[in-house]
Amino acid sequence: MEMLGMSAKMHDEARQGEAFAPVVSGGNQYQKKFYIESYGCQMNFSDSEIIASILHNNGFGATVIYQEADLVLLNTCSIREKAEQTVRKRLTEFRKLKGAKPGMLIGVLGCMAERLKAKLLEEEKLVDIVVGPDAYRSLPGLIGEAETGHKAVNVLLSREETYADISPVRLDSNGVTAFISIMRGCNNMCSFCVVPFTRGRERSRDAYSIIAEAKELFNSGYKEVTLLGQNVDSYYWIDEEKDEIITFAKLLEKVALVNDDLRVRFSTSHPKDITEDVLHTMNKYENICKHIHLPVQSGSTRILQLMNRTYTREWYKAKIDQIRNIIPECGISSDIIAGFCTEAEEDHKDTINIMEYSRYDMSYMFVYSERPGTLAAKRYKDDIGDDVKKKRLQEIVVLQGRLSQESNQRDIGKTFKVLIEGESKRSANDWMGRNTQNKVIVFPKHIPDSKKGDYVQVKVIDCTQATLLGEVI
Ligand code: SAH
Ligand code: SF4
Ligand code: F3S
């Protein structure tokens, strides 16, 4: 595995498709340079590492300075309208540059490429290349076509592609934590969601290649891997040699067994698919982190039905109970949408109320944004006014703030095993790391020879809404 330079760490919000972080690297043994910027979820950031690998093998080295690039790539997100607007704005900036540097190629990759296809070439006149999430292997060929002045598009979705054999080039890495993509696509049809259309059918990656990647990461000094998928709990792969079905619980166990010192996380869990088996496997291995991202979306059974989430409010609450019973110390976080079609004040209260019940440590919170082509766009009217959506979101945000504060306060006085990820952003005298529940802990660099990638015992002495403050013991 190749290591490249660093840049801004991925912003947490970026996972959800709003912000972006330039992805970076160095190296001057290449004839041509590419620049890539990633938007959207962790899957997209992980794809950029595959793209970087494909480009490296074809004579392109990465640069952080887009002005000096021969090829500028945007790996885009379509999850909400705002995410697409951000990309369009960025394209306008690149277009100006291209005016002065006509040989430069601009490529749009990822979910927006898939959603808009060749339309992007018409709408954004100076885009040369459009490539969907399952077509990255064709990128070198498409670049060749674009170099000869042809517009190049490949947005074919695949039922098989998992890029299992491509060793990602780690971009923007802290050298301690890394993502491993275990599946692609999504077969759920949540009515608000564009992902099934941009990412295609669900398929699971060869378990051996996942374990090999985890081992390789551990051998290069990494201490934590996050297994990624839109719905990890529906991972399903058949080991034909051993005639064995590998479920997510089994995969989790296999990755946990790579090494006791390699932490394992996973995201995202659809509440309907996380099994008791997974919960028991989490309990069985100390190095499987006790944190579940369990997006509720809404607390109202009626709205959940319209969203096609396939569970009721009561069922979700029972799932929370089950998690708390089996893994009492488990951290739980969520995604919440305010103002979905027909949402009444009563439905909103149900959301507020299920948040209180679930006591989330943190949540990603959004107002509903209608996406063309989705079931909700076809069937229901986006009938909640912006003001009402924003007011409800605000109430949700305020409540989550209180819940996070309370959750952090409950940790004061407790001691946690923390993996040091790097220096605190605020002070060079402090380390920043996470506990098993995925909470961020900042603490002074007391121990003289403590370093990035070490596990240390930290006692929590204070907190803010977002961070625990501790001291090493
Ligand atoms: N596969 C993951 C989530 C993928 S998208 C899962 O099922 O949990 C991440 C989050 O974006 C979703 O959980 C949802 O809360 C939000 N989201 C998706 N589509 C949206 C839309 N049209 N408007 C607002 N938020 C949306
Ligand atoms: Fe979208 Fe639902 Fe699939 Fe998540 S599970 S990606 S919200 S369709
Ligand atoms: Fe966005 Fe595509 Fe991810 S729509 S959230 S980048 S799967």
Side-chain angles (χ1 to χ4, degrees):
M1 190 170 310
E2 204 165 341
M3 290 292 311
L4 296 170
M6 312 253 298
S7 83
K9 177 114 174 71
M10 189 178 87
H11 194 263
D12 263 351
E13 252 178 38
R15 195 189 76 79
Q16 303 294 339
E18 303 293 3
F20 67 88
V23 162
V24 185
S25 71
N28 36 26
Q29 69 272 42
Y30 301 97
Q31 287 170 341
K32 290 187 177 163
K33 286 182 180 154
F34 76 95
Y35 170 88
I36 186 164
E37 228 169 60
S38 308
Y39 297 76
C41 61
Q42 286 164 344
M43 300 281 309
N44 239 23
F45 281 73
S46 172
D47 280 0
S48 288
E49 302 188 327
I50 305 244
I51 294 159
S53 177
I54 293 171
L55 289 175
H56 270 236
N57 292 335
N58 284 275
F60 280 86
T63 173
V64 261
I65 307 158
Y66 69 78
Q67 288 87 343
E68 67 172 38
D70 304 286
L71 174 65
V72 170
L73 299 173
L74 289 182
N75 195 1
T76 62
C77 172
S78 287
I79 200 81
R80 282 167 291 276
E81 201 184 341
K82 209 175 133 203
E84 291 200 356
Q85 280 164 359
T86 313
V87 168
R88 285 186 199 280
K89 251 191 241 148
R90 198 67 177 137
L91 274 173
T92 316
E93 286 168 42
F94 291 145
R95 212 179 293 146
K96 274 189 216 135
L97 174 69
K98 189 164 166 149
K101 202 182 161 191
M104 187 183 89
L105 297 178
I106 299 179
V108 178
L109 317 176
C111 291
M112 229 175 128
E114 192 60 51
R115 194 177 84 71
L116 295 166
K117 307 190 167 62
K119 252 194 272 173
L120 254 176
L121 297 175
E122 292 152 32
E123 286 174 28
E124 308 287 338
K125 292 265 184 287
L126 288 173
V127 170
D128 305 286
I129 303 169
V130 175
V131 192
D134 285 346
Y136 296 140
R137 285 182 205 267
S138 68
L139 200 48
L142 294 171
I143 295 167
E145 268 179 54
E147 278 171 344
T148 58
H150 299 98
K151 299 278 178 193
V153 185
N154 186 350
V155 288
L156 286 177
L157 287 173
S158 153
R159 280 176 179 262
E160 289 93 33
E161 181 64 273
T162 58
Y163 301 110
D165 56 314
I166 296 182
S167 181
V169 169
R170 300 292 161 188
L171 298 164
D172 192 17
S173 168
N174 59 9
V176 179
T177 60
F179 297 113
I180 302 181
S181 212
I182 64 163
M183 59 205 293
R184 300 182 70 81
C186 183
N187 281 358
N188 294 321
M189 275 286 170
C190 303
S191 64
F192 51 80
C193 185
V194 78
V195 172
F197 304 94
T198 62
R199 295 258 162 187
R201 304 292 291 170
E202 179 187 291
R203 66 222 92 124
S204 297
R205 176 178 165 190
D206 177 330
Y208 288 107
S209 77
I210 295 168
I211 294 150
E213 194 173 328
K215 281 186 181 153
E216 206 182 327
L217 282 163
F218 184 73
N219 291 337
S220 357
Y222 285 81
K223 293 291 176 59
E224 182 183 296
V225 293
T226 303
L227 308 181
L228 284 185
Q230 292 300 349
N231 187 12
V232 286
D233 298 276
S234 66
Y235 179 88
Y236 184 91
W237 190 76
I238 299 170
D239 184 345
E240 272 160 9
E241 261 167 49
K242 292 193 185 150
D243 198 21
E244 187 190 0
I245 290 170
I246 315 279
T247 59
F248 182 61
K250 279 204 185 139
L251 180 75
L252 203 50
E253 176 161 53
K254 283 176 192 291
V255 180
L257 287 169
V258 165
N259 196 292
D260 291 347
D261 273 341
L262 183 70
R263 269 186 172 179
V264 189
R265 298 188 184 277
F266 55 89
S267 185
T268 298
S269 293
H270 191 302
K272 78 176 163 59
D273 290 315
I274 186 163
T275 60
E276 214 177 311
D277 232 12
V278 166
L279 301 180
H280 289 302
T281 306
M282 288 173 76
N283 254 350
K284 196 166 153 199
Y285 296 93
E286 188 270 339
N287 58 329
I288 302 180
C289 289
K290 308 299 179 275
H291 168 234
I292 300 174
H293 188 60
L294 197 75
V296 68
Q297 313 299 0
S298 167
S300 150
T301 295
R302 188 182 70 82
I303 295 292
L304 285 169
Q305 228 153 24
L306 294 182
M307 287 178 162
N308 201 20
R309 289 290 286 184
T310 72
Y311 51 85
T312 61
R313 164 187 181 77
E314 285 66 37
W315 195 92
Y316 184 91
K317 284 165 77 177
K319 192 45 88 177
I320 294 281
D321 293 344
Q322 186 189 45
I323 294 170
R324 299 234 185 260
N325 280 334
I326 298 177
I327 318 172
E329 79 274 29
C330 197
I332 304 179
S333 55
S334 190
D335 292 349
I336 298 163
I337 298 177
F340 187 67
C341 314
T342 78
E343 187 186 72
E345 208 48 43
E346 202 184 310
D347 300 307
H348 171 61
K349 293 246 161 65
D350 281 348
T351 298
I352 293 285
N353 181 278
I354 211 162
M355 289 175 70
E356 296 257 20
Y357 186 87
S358 308
R359 287 187 277 121
Y360 299 124
D361 300 303
M362 70 86 89
S363 295
Y364 296 101
M365 300 155 282
F366 315 98
V367 292
Y368 172 58
S369 163
E370 186 178 84
R371 308 311 293 132
T374 54
L375 288 180
K378 284 185 198 152
R379 285 190 196 156
Y380 317 121
K381 207 166 153 236
D382 182 11
D383 58 353
I384 308 301
D386 275 352
D387 291 358
V388 176
K389 279 182 182 171
K390 277 186 195 143
K391 184 183 132 273
R392 288 181 188 163
L393 178 69
Q394 191 51 28
E395 280 172 32
I396 289 169
V397 169
V398 168
L399 171 58
Q400 185 55 56
R402 172 162 71 72
L403 294 176
S404 300
Q405 180 77 35
E406 286 170 3
S407 163
N408 282 351
Q409 237 138 18
R410 283 194 294 271
D411 286 340
I412 293 179
K414 290 186 195 162
T415 298
F416 294 105
K417 181 176 170 183
V418 174
L419 172 61
I420 303 180
E421 288 181 23
E423 224 161 59
S424 153
K425 267 177 266 166
R426 298 243 171 86
S427 157
N429 298 322
D430 292 341
W431 287 126
M432 170 272 175
R434 279 169 214 268
N435 65 7
T436 184
Q437 288 84 3
N438 206 32
K439 285 189 182 178
V440 170
I441 307 194
V442 169
F443 52 97
K445 293 177 174 173
H446 278 336
I447 310 176
D449 54 354
S450 63
K451 57 184 186 311
K452 220 166 78 164
D454 282 354
Y455 290 103
V456 283
Q457 293 291 330
V458 181
K459 185 174 177 182
V460 177
I461 50 171
D462 200 359
C463 71
T464 68
Q465 232 176 57
T467 315
L468 299 175
L469 307 167
E471 59 188 21
V472 177
I473 55 166

